[in-house]
Amino acid sequence: MSFIPITTPVSEIINKHIVNGVFIEDHLEQSVISPDVFQKAKEDVEQRLKVKVKFGKCSSVLVHQLTRHSLQIFEKFGNEIHHYHFPTILDIIELVDQGHKMNVRPFNKNGTLAGLKHIHHNSNTFIAQNMVNCWKEKYGKDDEVSFQNILLEEIFTGLLNDFPKEIAQKKSLTVLLTKILYESKFRKPQKHTGEWIVFAQKDNVNYYLCLATHNECKDFTDQVVYERIKPCLAEFPEIKNNFGGQI
């Protein structure tokens, strides 16, 4: 038995195993969370934010969203539902608050959200994309399948020292996936892509407003995020004139 090459890019293999992104109403059916449990979780999130965020401010909208995700309650964004690993989002906010270079981008200067910015957090939906970005950045190869087969054959040959051919063949793909995931995870934060943390800046202070997604804006325009952050203006009236859009 010789090495059996793959015919599907690893990124597609990963995508097929990500249960995230397609809206199915039944996914929103959760076991009932009592108000007391939600309140306790909310207080925990607020305490974590006090530790993480020393210079900026977090809106009640964002706190509510983070509380949902801390309780593993799915949230609907446009036609999709998502559940995020909220400690990761807290870590990203902390890095931005401390002035680290991150993947921060402004919204269209002529759009509804002009004057706002968004940070990318690496959600499950973007695992494959981050892997591909890392792959091309490190190896500079556009033919993903061909180059992956070269690495797989090298891994397979090495595994033959310790395993029978059949087992080595099965293990080689797992070893490659682990390698790519590890490398993509430890890329510089400013190179990560993912879903959005929307925020405003005024007088060198960051106002972290809400979570949002690229696809909901693509499918429904920026208006959907505009509606989500409206309550933030009552909470932070000082940022109202910071927007170039309709807010």
Side-chain angles (χ1 to χ4, degrees):
M1 173 183 173
S2 60
F3 171 74
I4 303 174
I6 60 172
T7 58
T8 303
V10 169
S11 58
E12 291 185 20
I13 295 173
I14 290 292
N15 266 330
K16 289 178 181 178
H17 291 83
I18 294 176
V19 183
N20 222 343
V22 179
F23 176 63
I24 301 174
E25 195 72 38
D26 291 345
H27 286 179
L28 292 177
E29 294 182 3
Q30 306 286 335
S31 56
V32 177
I33 302 295
S34 71
D36 289 343
V37 170
F38 193 90
Q39 179 61 30
K40 185 175 181 180
K42 178 174 175 289
E43 292 171 358
D44 177 68
V45 170
E46 290 172 335
Q47 289 301 314
R48 289 171 183 260
L49 286 169
K50 285 181 180 179
V51 174
K52 297 283 188 180
V53 182
K54 300 296 185 182
F55 309 106
K57 300 180 180 181
C58 295
S59 76
S60 298
V61 173
L62 179 59
V63 170
H64 182 87
Q65 288 180 296
L66 291 175
T67 303
R68 286 181 62 99
H69 293 285
S70 75
L71 292 169
Q72 300 184 10
I73 302 175
F74 283 98
E75 183 174 7
K76 183 179 179 182
F77 295 92
N79 287 325
E80 303 176 343
I81 60 170
H82 294 281
H83 167 247
Y84 300 138
H85 184 244
F86 92 103
T88 298
I89 298 176
L90 295 186
D91 289 342
I92 292 171
I93 292 175
E94 180 182 29
L95 289 173
V96 175
D97 205 58
Q98 293 177 351
H100 291 263
K101 291 184 178 180
M102 304 291 288
N103 194 356
V104 175
R105 299 180 184 179
F107 284 96
N108 189 319
K109 64 180 180 180
N110 296 318
T112 304
L113 302 176
L116 292 178
K117 298 181 179 181
H118 58 270
I119 319 159
H120 289 91
H121 70 86
N122 190 2
S123 73
N124 288 341
T125 316
F126 282 80
I127 290 176
Q129 186 60 56
N130 276 295
M131 288 173 62
V132 171
N133 291 349
C134 177
W135 187 274
K136 291 182 177 179
E137 173 188 297
K138 184 168 183 177
Y139 299 106
K141 301 292 181 179
D142 293 325
D143 187 353
E144 190 179 351
V145 173
S146 296
F147 190 60
Q148 285 170 354
N149 277 315
I150 292 172
L151 290 185
L152 280 169
E153 188 163 11
E154 292 175 356
I155 294 168
F156 171 75
T157 302
L159 289 172
L160 287 176
N161 295 324
D162 300 305
F163 300 98
K165 291 181 179 179
E166 293 81 0
I167 296 178
Q169 176 71 48
K170 292 179 180 179
K171 285 183 174 293
S172 58
L173 182 57
T174 300
V175 172
L176 180 65
L177 288 173
T178 302
K179 173 183 173 64
I180 301 174
L181 282 170
Y182 180 85
E183 290 179 350
S184 63
K185 180 179 179 181
F186 289 99
R187 292 174 77 218
K188 293 180 180 179
Q190 62 265 37
K191 293 187 175 182
H192 279 181
T193 190
E195 303 296 11
W196 297 344
I197 305 168
V198 180
F199 71 106
Q201 290 180 314
K202 183 177 177 62
D203 299 330
N204 296 318
V205 176
N206 289 341
Y207 293 78
Y208 306 101
L209 304 178
C210 73
L211 304 177
T213 73
H214 177 271
N215 281 343
E216 66 174 336
C217 288
K218 180 180 177 181
D219 295 340
F220 297 94
T221 76
D222 292 349
Q223 185 72 25
V224 66
V225 179
Y226 162 72
E227 295 296 333
R228 189 173 302 141
I229 63 177
K230 269 185 176 179
C232 302
L233 299 181
E235 190 171 4
F236 306 126
E238 64 270 25
I239 67 174
K240 183 172 183 180
N241 295 330
N242 212 50
F243 302 103
Q246 62 174 300
I247 297 177

